[in-house]
Amino acid sequence: MRVLGIDPGIAIMGFGFIDKTGHKLTPVQYGCIETAAGTPQETRLKQIYESVCDLLDQYKPDTVAVEKLFFNKNVTNAFSVGQARGVFMLAAAQRGLPIAEYTPMQVKQAVVGYGAAEKRQVQEMVKMLLKLSAIPKPDDVADALAVAICHAHSIVLNERMNGVTRR
């Protein structure tokens, strides 16, 4: 099963594709989509949409997972990130892909085993679980891989809870 994890953002959107075979997780491709500050919002969203569509069509995930937004003090930033997140979800929905959402605490719990883990702990676990030589940079990429790992660990349980059985 191929899983795509996304760490949504308007300036930097991290992505990570992993394959899950049994209990083994293998990185396929990871990186980020970047848009330039000062570019009109609609242009940035279009760039994200087109890049996401290209990635989905090239790497053909079976399922996708995205980090839920938590509201912070910067309302303008929260709206921009929400729009970028929506663009990603639209592209995935257009391809009929199931979309899962996880809070930062759920991701930390799944990857580190502790919902209040620090960012560095999550990054080190991503490196270890995927047998990478270094922590992926920028941080958004490691976060996206963590979301993918979380979903890979959670998908069987989620499907059972929703009455879906895997063959």
Side-chain angles (χ1 to χ4, degrees):
M1 172 191 325
R2 180 157 294 168
V3 178
L4 168 59
I6 291 288
D7 180 43
I10 189 74
I12 301 173
M13 179 177 284
F15 67 86
F17 291 88
I18 62 171
D19 282 347
K20 179 181 181 190
T21 308
H23 294 289
K24 183 180 178 187
L25 301 176
T26 306
V28 175
Q29 181 63 278
Y30 50 90
C32 60
I33 300 166
E34 297 183 67
T35 64
T39 303
Q41 187 83 349
E42 64 275 12
T43 302
R44 294 175 95 177
L45 292 171
K46 181 177 183 279
Q47 291 169 346
I48 291 169
Y49 176 78
E50 290 171 349
S51 295
V52 166
C53 287
D54 289 345
L55 288 168
L56 291 172
D57 293 342
Q58 181 176 358
Y59 293 101
K60 301 192 183 321
D62 298 302
T63 184
V64 299
V66 62
E67 190 171 82
K68 284 185 181 179
L69 293 181
F70 59 93
F71 197 81
N72 58 23
K73 294 179 184 176
N74 187 340
V75 176
T76 303
N77 186 51
F79 282 131
S80 294
V81 172
Q83 289 174 329
R85 187 175 178 274
V87 164
F88 163 75
M89 292 177 78
L90 170 64
Q94 286 176 326
R95 284 153 181 79
L97 294 169
I99 302 169
E101 300 176 71
Y102 297 95
T103 65
M105 184 179 284
Q106 288 172 311
V107 173
K108 292 173 183 180
Q109 179 71 40
V111 175
V112 179
Y114 176 57
E118 293 185 21
K119 185 174 274 296
R120 183 69 181 183
Q121 290 173 295
V122 175
Q123 293 170 339
E124 288 292 341
M125 284 302 294
V126 165
K127 176 185 166 196
M128 186 179 82
L129 290 169
L130 297 178
K131 297 176 178 59
L132 302 173
S133 59
I135 293 171
K137 296 292 181 192
D139 292 350
D140 312 78
V141 178
D143 292 346
L145 286 166
V147 172
I149 292 167
C150 173
H151 190 49
H153 288 320
S154 304
I155 194 162
V156 173
L157 177 61
N158 289 343
E159 287 176 345
R160 287 184 183 153
M161 289 175 58
N162 292 324
V164 177
T165 56
R166 293 192 64 76
R167 293 179 187 199

